[in-house]
Amino acid sequence: MTDEPHRHESTPDEHGRNRVRKSAEAYRTISEVADELHVPQHVLRFWETKFPRIKPLKRGGGRRYYRPDDVLLLQRIADLLYIQGYTIKGVQRLLRESGGLLHDEIPPASEEERAASAAERARADIPAPPAPRPDRLPELPIDPAPATSNPGHAPAAMPDADSAPLERARAATALLRAAMASVLAELEDLRASLDK
DNA sequence: CTAAGCCATCCTATGTCATG
DNA sequence: CATGACATAGGATGGCTTAG
């Protein structure tokens, strides 16, 4: 089979690099996916070992080519891990329990799942991991990726499809940044007073 | 016998480095 | 860009000893 991953026209990316812009259906290399998700490459490989459902195409030399489906799934995993605060186990269970459902259909944090995940955390005594300051950060429900409910059509991957959850994630990130900046300022003050 | 304290080991979720 | 080995920090777990 000549499953040559298809590329598309080339345009400079936001960094000015002349990067190949791919269509929604295009296959992506690990570096592209890592860039897109803001996750280091080794983390993607690590996830591959933890989530058997992540199965990028491998071509000669062992190079990975991620399908849009894979990218979506990875996006969802990243969201659950980093935004929702699930553990890998929790995400694994979500995927398992969601049966055949994939990325765009991972049960949007039903009460049971929330409870199960909370129970798991309680058992492990995990304090709501990336411990976003509860008094400041907005609740980010596992988005049901509503826009993706156009079965058989353009992959949910692309911009508008997921923009709402993306916006929420961005808002949360901005708040986190602000919180971290103030913590950093405090630490610097402390250090300054210690240096005296 | 039981509770408490200490220590070693394992696990998790990455991160780093070497090498191909 | 790939794989694999090793490192890390914090928490969980289990075994052993000691004191009441």
Side-chain angles (χ1 to χ4, degrees), chain A residues 12-19:
Chain A
D13 66 7
E14 71 261 40
H15 303 299
R17 286 174 298 201
N18 204 23
R19 171 173 275 203

Side-chain angles (χ1 to χ4, degrees), chain A residues 154-165:
Chain A
M158 299 310 102
D160 341 33
D162 252 0
S163 61

Side-chain angles (χ1 to χ4, degrees), chain A residues 6-9 20-24 26-29 32 65:
Chain A
H6 51 295
R7 291 177 170 246
H8 286 250
E9 79 271 30
V20 174
R21 186 178 183 78
K22 297 182 176 183
S23 75
Y27 288 75
R28 284 151 207 263
T29 64
E32 288 166 336
Y65 287 96

Side-chain angles (χ1 to χ4, degrees), chain A residues 4 8 21 50 55 60 71 90 92 108 120 128 147 152 158 160 166 170 173 187 189-190:
Chain A
E4 180 70 18
H8 286 250
R21 186 178 183 78
K50 297 294 168 186
K55 278 221 180 90
V71 177
Q92 282 173 333
E120 180 175 296
M158 299 310 102
D160 341 33
L166 206 62
R170 286 202 175 115
T173 303
L187 286 172
D189 280 353
L190 259 179

Side-chain angles (χ1 to χ4, degrees), chain A residues 124-147:
Chain A
D125 205 19
I126 299 172
R133 302 180 51 127
D135 48 330
R136 313 209 32 200
L137 288 171
E139 252 294 284
L140 290 169
I142 298 176
D143 75 278

Side-chain angles (χ1 to χ4, degrees), chain A residues 5 17 24 26 28 44 51 54 59 61-62 86 96 98 101 121 127 133 162 168 186 193-194:
Chain A
R17 286 174 298 201
R28 284 151 207 263
L44 294 180
F51 305 100
I54 301 174
R59 304 195 66 221
Y86 281 82
R96 209 176 32 247
S98 66
L101 305 181
R121 287 187 177 292
R133 302 180 51 127
D162 252 0
R168 285 199 295 275
E186 270 182 50
S193 61
L194 283 175

Side-chain angles (χ1 to χ4, degrees), chain A residues 77-153:
Chain A
I77 289 170
D79 177 68
L80 290 169
L81 286 174
Y82 299 144
I83 308 292
Q84 309 292 332
Y86 281 82
T87 60
I88 284 190
K89 264 190 186 172
V91 177
Q92 282 173 333
R93 193 176 51 210
L94 266 181
L95 291 178
R96 209 176 32 247
E97 287 176 2
S98 66
L101 305 181
L102 255 186
H103 32 272
D104 55 343
E105 282 290 351
I106 288 175
S110 72
E111 291 308 316
E112 295 98 57
E113 266 122 19
R114 283 268 182 185
S117 199
E120 180 175 296
R121 287 187 177 292
R123 246 178 288 129
D125 205 19
I126 299 172
R133 302 180 51 127
D135 48 330
R136 313 209 32 200
L137 288 171
E139 252 294 284
L140 290 169
I142 298 176
D143 75 278
T148 69
S149 49
N150 57 343
H153 270 217

